[in-house]
Short mmCIF file of all heavy atoms in Angstrom, two decimals:
data_model
loop_
_atom_site.label_atom_id
_atom_site.label_comp_id
_atom_site.label_asym_id
_atom_site.label_seq_id
_atom_site.Cartn_x
_atom_site.Cartn_y
_atom_site.Cartn_z
N LYS A 128 75.58 223.07 100.53
CA LYS A 128 74.90 224.37 100.53
C LYS A 128 75.08 225.14 101.83
O LYS A 128 75.16 226.36 101.84
CB LYS A 128 73.41 224.16 100.27
CG LYS A 128 73.10 224.10 98.80
CD LYS A 128 71.67 223.69 98.56
CE LYS A 128 71.63 222.35 97.89
NZ LYS A 128 70.39 221.66 97.85
N GLY A 191 76.61 204.67 85.88
CA GLY A 191 75.27 205.27 85.94
C GLY A 191 75.16 206.61 85.24
O GLY A 191 74.09 207.21 85.17
N ILE A 265 78.47 218.26 84.22
CA ILE A 265 77.58 218.55 85.34
C ILE A 265 76.29 217.73 85.32
O ILE A 265 75.87 217.21 86.35
CB ILE A 265 77.29 220.07 85.37
CG1 ILE A 265 78.58 220.78 85.73
CG2 ILE A 265 76.19 220.40 86.36
CD1 ILE A 265 78.51 222.27 85.65
N VAL A 266 75.67 217.60 84.15
CA VAL A 266 74.37 216.92 84.12
C VAL A 266 74.49 215.44 84.55
O VAL A 266 73.82 215.02 85.50
CB VAL A 266 73.66 217.10 82.76
CG1 VAL A 266 72.31 216.41 82.75
CG2 VAL A 266 73.50 218.58 82.44
N PRO A 267 75.38 214.65 83.90
CA PRO A 267 75.47 213.25 84.33
C PRO A 267 75.91 213.11 85.78
O PRO A 267 75.35 212.31 86.53
CB PRO A 267 76.53 212.65 83.40
CG PRO A 267 76.60 213.57 82.24
CD PRO A 267 76.23 214.92 82.74
N ALA A 268 76.89 213.93 86.20
CA ALA A 268 77.39 213.79 87.58
C ALA A 268 76.27 214.08 88.58
O ALA A 268 76.13 213.39 89.59
CB ALA A 268 78.56 214.73 87.81
N THR A 269 75.48 215.08 88.28
CA THR A 269 74.39 215.40 89.21
C THR A 269 73.33 214.31 89.19
O THR A 269 72.72 214.02 90.21
CB THR A 269 73.77 216.77 88.84
OG1 THR A 269 74.82 217.65 88.50
CG2 THR A 269 72.99 217.36 89.98
N PHE A 270 73.15 213.69 88.03
CA PHE A 270 72.20 212.57 87.94
C PHE A 270 72.66 211.41 88.83
O PHE A 270 71.89 210.82 89.57
CB PHE A 270 72.12 212.06 86.50
CG PHE A 270 70.90 212.53 85.80
CD1 PHE A 270 70.82 213.84 85.34
CD2 PHE A 270 69.82 211.69 85.60
CE1 PHE A 270 69.69 214.29 84.69
CE2 PHE A 270 68.67 212.13 84.95
CZ PHE A 270 68.61 213.44 84.50
N VAL A 271 73.97 211.11 88.73
CA VAL A 271 74.48 209.96 89.47
C VAL A 271 74.40 210.19 90.97
O VAL A 271 73.98 209.33 91.72
CB VAL A 271 75.95 209.67 89.08
CG1 VAL A 271 76.54 208.57 89.93
CG2 VAL A 271 76.04 209.32 87.61
N PHE A 272 74.80 211.40 91.40
CA PHE A 272 74.97 211.57 92.84
C PHE A 272 73.81 212.22 93.56
O PHE A 272 73.74 212.21 94.76
CB PHE A 272 76.27 212.34 93.12
CG PHE A 272 77.46 211.54 92.75
CD1 PHE A 272 78.10 211.73 91.53
CD2 PHE A 272 77.93 210.55 93.60
CE1 PHE A 272 79.19 210.97 91.17
CE2 PHE A 272 79.02 209.78 93.25
CZ PHE A 272 79.65 209.99 92.03
N SER A 273 72.90 212.84 92.80
CA SER A 273 71.77 213.38 93.55
C SER A 273 70.47 213.18 92.79
O SER A 273 69.52 213.92 92.97
CB SER A 273 72.01 214.85 93.89
OG SER A 273 72.09 215.60 92.71
N GLY A 274 70.47 212.23 91.89
CA GLY A 274 69.24 211.88 91.20
C GLY A 274 68.73 212.95 90.24
O GLY A 274 67.64 212.84 89.70
N GLY A 275 69.53 213.99 90.01
CA GLY A 275 69.15 215.00 89.01
C GLY A 275 68.22 216.07 89.53
O GLY A 275 68.06 217.10 88.89
N GLY A 276 67.64 215.88 90.70
CA GLY A 276 66.65 216.84 91.19
C GLY A 276 67.24 218.22 91.43
O GLY A 276 66.57 219.23 91.24
N ASP A 277 68.54 218.26 91.82
CA ASP A 277 69.16 219.52 92.19
C ASP A 277 69.57 220.38 91.01
O ASP A 277 69.97 221.53 91.17
CB ASP A 277 70.41 219.24 93.02
CG ASP A 277 70.07 219.17 94.49
OD1 ASP A 277 68.90 219.41 94.82
OD2 ASP A 277 70.97 218.86 95.29
N ILE A 278 69.49 219.83 89.83
CA ILE A 278 70.05 220.53 88.68
C ILE A 278 69.37 221.86 88.42
O ILE A 278 69.95 222.78 87.87
CB ILE A 278 69.98 219.61 87.43
CG1 ILE A 278 70.89 220.14 86.32
CG2 ILE A 278 68.57 219.47 86.91
CD1 ILE A 278 72.22 219.55 86.33
N ASN A 279 68.14 221.99 88.88
CA ASN A 279 67.37 223.20 88.59
C ASN A 279 67.61 224.38 89.49
O ASN A 279 66.97 225.40 89.37
CB ASN A 279 65.88 222.87 88.69
CG ASN A 279 65.36 222.42 87.36
OD1 ASN A 279 65.94 222.80 86.35
ND2 ASN A 279 64.33 221.61 87.35
N GLN A 280 68.52 224.22 90.45
CA GLN A 280 68.47 225.26 91.48
C GLN A 280 69.39 226.46 91.29
O GLN A 280 69.70 227.15 92.26
CB GLN A 280 68.72 224.63 92.82
CG GLN A 280 69.98 223.82 92.76
CD GLN A 280 70.60 223.71 94.08
OE1 GLN A 280 71.16 224.67 94.57
NE2 GLN A 280 70.50 222.56 94.69
N LEU A 284 73.79 225.48 92.53
CA LEU A 284 74.29 224.26 91.89
C LEU A 284 75.82 224.18 91.93
O LEU A 284 76.39 223.20 92.39
CB LEU A 284 73.80 224.21 90.44
CG LEU A 284 74.34 223.07 89.59
CD1 LEU A 284 73.79 221.74 90.08
CD2 LEU A 284 73.97 223.27 88.13
N GLY A 287 77.01 224.84 95.84
CA GLY A 287 76.40 224.01 96.87
C GLY A 287 76.39 222.54 96.52
O GLY A 287 77.01 221.72 97.20
N THR A 288 75.71 222.20 95.43
CA THR A 288 75.53 220.80 95.09
C THR A 288 76.81 220.15 94.54
O THR A 288 77.18 219.05 94.95
CB THR A 288 74.43 220.67 94.02
OG1 THR A 288 73.30 221.39 94.48
CG2 THR A 288 74.05 219.22 93.80
N LEU A 289 77.48 220.84 93.59
CA LEU A 289 78.62 220.19 92.94
C LEU A 289 79.71 219.71 93.91
O LEU A 289 80.18 218.59 93.78
CB LEU A 289 79.23 221.10 91.88
CG LEU A 289 78.62 220.99 90.49
CD1 LEU A 289 79.41 221.86 89.53
CD2 LEU A 289 78.63 219.56 89.98
N GLN A 291 79.39 218.62 96.76
CA GLN A 291 78.92 217.36 97.37
C GLN A 291 78.98 216.22 96.36
O GLN A 291 79.25 215.08 96.71
CB GLN A 291 77.51 217.53 97.90
CG GLN A 291 77.52 218.19 99.26
CD GLN A 291 76.14 218.43 99.81
OE1 GLN A 291 75.20 218.71 99.06
NE2 GLN A 291 76.01 218.33 101.12
N VAL A 292 78.71 216.57 95.10
CA VAL A 292 78.84 215.56 94.04
C VAL A 292 80.30 215.08 93.98
O VAL A 292 80.57 213.88 93.90
CB VAL A 292 78.39 216.15 92.69
CG1 VAL A 292 78.78 215.25 91.54
CG2 VAL A 292 76.89 216.41 92.69
N PHE A 293 81.24 216.03 94.08
CA PHE A 293 82.66 215.64 94.06
C PHE A 293 82.98 214.73 95.24
O PHE A 293 83.79 213.81 95.14
CB PHE A 293 83.57 216.87 94.08
CG PHE A 293 83.49 217.71 92.84
CD1 PHE A 293 83.36 219.09 92.89
CD2 PHE A 293 83.52 217.11 91.58
CE1 PHE A 293 83.27 219.86 91.75
CE2 PHE A 293 83.44 217.87 90.42
CZ PHE A 293 83.30 219.24 90.51
N GLY A 295 81.30 212.49 96.53
CA GLY A 295 80.90 211.11 96.29
C GLY A 295 81.73 210.40 95.23
O GLY A 295 81.59 209.20 95.01
#
Side-chain angles (χ1 to χ4, degrees):
K128 274 171 245 166
I265 292 173
V266 181
T269 319
F270 258 76
V271 175
F272 292 98
S273 63
D277 270 356
I278 196 93
N279 270 334
Q280 52 153 287
L284 175 68
T288 310
L289 272 185
Q291 278 178 326
V292 168
F293 293 133

